[in-house]
Amino acid sequence: MNKDINSVLLQQMEISGSNLSQTTSTETHGTADVETVYWNEAYTDENIESIEYNEKPELITLLGFSEYGKSTFTGSLYQILRTNESFADYSFVDSETLVGFERRVFLRKVNNEGKSEVKRTIRKKGSLLDIKLKNKTDNSVRRILLSDGAGEVYNECISKDATVIEQKAIKYANRLLVFVNCEEFSDPTKPWKDSLKTLLERFSRNDMLPINAKIYLVVNKYDKIARLEKNKVEEYIEEIFHIVSDYLTIYKKDIYRIVSTGLYIEKEDEGLTNLITSLLSPINRNENRYNELDWLATATKNIK
């Protein structure tokens, strides 16, 4: 990401409800490239400045390679918030990126039904989604930016420092969700452990890992491990936990095992709902060396 996103991540501004997010992407239809404009899709690096806040939004960033289920999770999160009058003491109020959320819900539904392969988040599309919540207890308003970056970008980060340095949403995250795909545990062609370690090492070497973020390990597609014994799966999860622990401060209570489909009609995955409940809970100030002098304070001098 570039300096444009820093105006939101690092500065305070007034809320303006009149701005709309617009994503322009080029998709191939047959032999022709067609440019499509999506209103209220998701914010990009270029138009993130058009959303304004009177207080710092909380940034929740999803980190994971292609096919790791980040967009499916995002759609499930949105669906839970929209279909429940109150969830974890919060109610959904509004979003500047409703189309972006609805697209992810549709992606999840179609993939679950096995009808077709729907395009996931691609790097030219916006990846920053906006959520406005109200606390049911004190009526306070909470704003969240959810970064659902393309897995292809993280694939590229394994070998390119330049791409790593662009990922400001990782460095400035208040909460970082590290996704793992259980389907790869039984696939000898997938170097999932080495890839994760290399990715975190490259982010660390470039000083692009968050210092004070709350870290979650999301073990996704936990229902796709039929070919492996449960004990072996847990051994792999333990290995992953230790890999992440080498670079980030994480606690075992923040490991969440969720299924590939996210949500069923009238049946919610317990791991998923527990994860979302934790995301909506205030961060314990004693965890992860969290303090009031976070990334906003370092940029106070830039606020006009």
Side-chain angles (χ1 to χ4, degrees), residues 68 177-183 185 216-225 233-234 236-238 240-241 250 254-260 269 271-272 275:
Y68 273 32
L177 279 63
V178 180
F179 277 71
V180 175
N181 180 2
C182 282
E183 281 189 301
F185 289 177
Y216 301 80
L217 177 57
V218 183
V219 183
N220 199 12
K221 305 187 182 183
Y222 195 66
D223 53 323
K224 302 289 188 179
I225 56 175
V233 173
E234 293 305 317
Y236 284 149
I237 294 173
E238 184 74 12
I240 295 166
F241 175 80
I250 185 172
D254 292 318
I255 300 175
Y256 292 87
R257 299 159 177 80
I258 63 177
V259 301
S260 59
D269 174 49
L272 175 69
L275 173 56

Side-chain angles (χ1 to χ4, degrees), residues 23-84:
T23 296
T24 302
S25 68
T26 302
E27 299 181 4
T28 301
H29 297 266
T31 58
D33 286 338
V34 179
E35 188 176 78
T36 307
V37 177
Y38 300 91
W39 288 101
N40 287 72
E41 218 296 332
Y43 287 95
T44 65
D45 297 354
E46 290 74 23
N47 63 25
I48 186 63
E49 284 188 319
S50 66
I51 186 169
E52 300 175 344
Y53 296 88
N54 60 4
E55 62 182 27
K56 177 177 67 98
E58 179 177 332
L59 177 62
I60 300 177
T61 303
L62 313 184
L63 171 64
F65 300 117
S66 303
E67 305 287 352
Y68 273 32
K70 300 187 303 299
S71 292
T72 297
F73 167 78
T74 301
S76 297
L77 167 65
Y78 170 75
Q79 188 78 345
I80 283 179
L81 293 174
R82 283 299 301 270
T83 57
N84 287 276

Side-chain angles (χ1 to χ4, degrees), residues 138-278:
D138 59 14
N139 290 323
S140 61
V141 175
R142 178 176 174 184
R143 300 299 292 266
I144 292 173
L145 275 180
L146 184 68
S147 176
D148 174 26
E152 288 81 1
V153 172
Y154 294 123
N155 295 347
E156 188 176 292
C157 284
I158 291 178
S159 59
K160 292 186 178 181
D161 286 339
T163 306
V164 169
I165 294 170
E166 294 175 352
Q167 309 313 307
K168 303 296 186 185
I170 298 291
K171 184 177 178 66
Y172 296 118
N174 298 109
R175 302 180 198 250
L176 179 65
L177 279 63
V178 180
F179 277 71
V180 175
N181 180 2
C182 282
E183 281 189 301
E184 296 188 349
F185 289 177
S186 58
D187 187 345
T189 68
K190 301 289 187 179
W192 49 272
K193 283 188 289 186
D194 290 340
S195 294
L196 177 60
K197 186 172 183 177
T198 301
L199 180 70
L200 293 175
E201 171 62 29
R202 196 168 287 273
F203 269 89
S204 177
R205 190 167 63 244
N206 286 281
D207 192 28
M208 290 299 293
L209 288 176
I211 297 175
N212 298 315
K214 182 173 176 59
I215 310 301
Y216 301 80
L217 177 57
V218 183
V219 183
N220 199 12
K221 305 187 182 183
Y222 195 66
D223 53 323
K224 302 289 188 179
I225 56 175
R227 288 182 291 176
L228 290 175
E229 294 182 2
K230 187 174 181 180
N231 288 344
K232 188 63 177 177
V233 173
E234 293 305 317
E235 287 180 16
Y236 284 149
I237 294 173
E238 184 74 12
E239 287 186 60
I240 295 166
F241 175 80
H242 286 296
I243 290 172
V244 175
S245 297
D246 286 340
Y247 300 94
L248 298 160
T249 302
I250 185 172
Y251 302 93
K252 287 195 174 181
K253 67 182 180 62
D254 292 318
I255 300 175
Y256 292 87
R257 299 159 177 80
I258 63 177
V259 301
S260 59
T261 52
L263 296 177
Y264 293 97
I265 297 176
E266 298 181 353
K267 182 180 179 182
E268 298 173 346
D269 174 49
E270 183 177 1
L272 175 69
T273 55
N274 288 342
L275 173 56
I276 294 174
T277 298
S278 179

Side-chain angles (χ1 to χ4, degrees), residues 107-152:
L107 180 155
R108 175 180 58 79
K109 181 177 184 298
V110 172
N111 281 346
N112 289 353
E113 294 175 354
K115 290 182 178 179
S116 66
E117 182 65 26
V118 182
K119 284 185 178 294
R120 305 179 312 279
T121 305
I122 58 176
R123 64 185 305 155
K124 288 186 179 181
K125 286 183 178 290
S127 61
L128 291 161
L129 300 160
D130 169 70
I131 304 173
K132 181 178 180 181
L133 302 172
K134 178 182 285 188
N135 187 291
K136 300 291 285 186
T137 302
D138 59 14
N139 290 323
S140 61
V141 175
R142 178 176 174 184
R143 300 299 292 266
I144 292 173
L145 275 180
L146 184 68
S147 176
D148 174 26
E152 288 81 1

